Amino acid sequence: MDGALNDMAPPPKHLAGPIASRLKVLANLNIAERRVPQDGRIKITLRRPTGGFAGIDAADAVW
């Protein structure tokens, strides 16, 4: 990655649950647990030879 951040429009609120569930599955977290903080990692494969990891922290939040 080049380190640049790009602004994007946020996803619609009705997709918050499905997006959170998908990220939990990718990070091997328990999708049924919503009250206990969880920590996981997702391995990212980029077009460049160097890969990376994304840290996923799941905690209870109010939408």
Side-chain angles (χ1 to χ4, degrees):
M1 288 200 211
D2 61 5
L5 295 175
N6 299 316
D7 287 333
M8 296 179 62
K13 292 205 182 250
H14 72 276
L15 293 178
I19 290 171
S21 293
R22 181 64 181 151
L23 289 173
K24 284 183 171 186
V25 168
L26 290 172
N28 294 319
L29 300 177
N30 182 357
I31 62 171
E33 186 59 64
R34 295 178 186 259
R35 296 183 296 183
V36 176
Q38 301 180 65
D39 190 28
R41 294 177 77 168
I42 298 174
K43 185 175 181 181
I44 300 173
T45 303
L46 305 171
R47 292 182 188 158
R48 299 179 188 166
T50 58
F53 289 92
I56 302 294
D57 294 322
D60 193 22
V62 177
W63 292 90

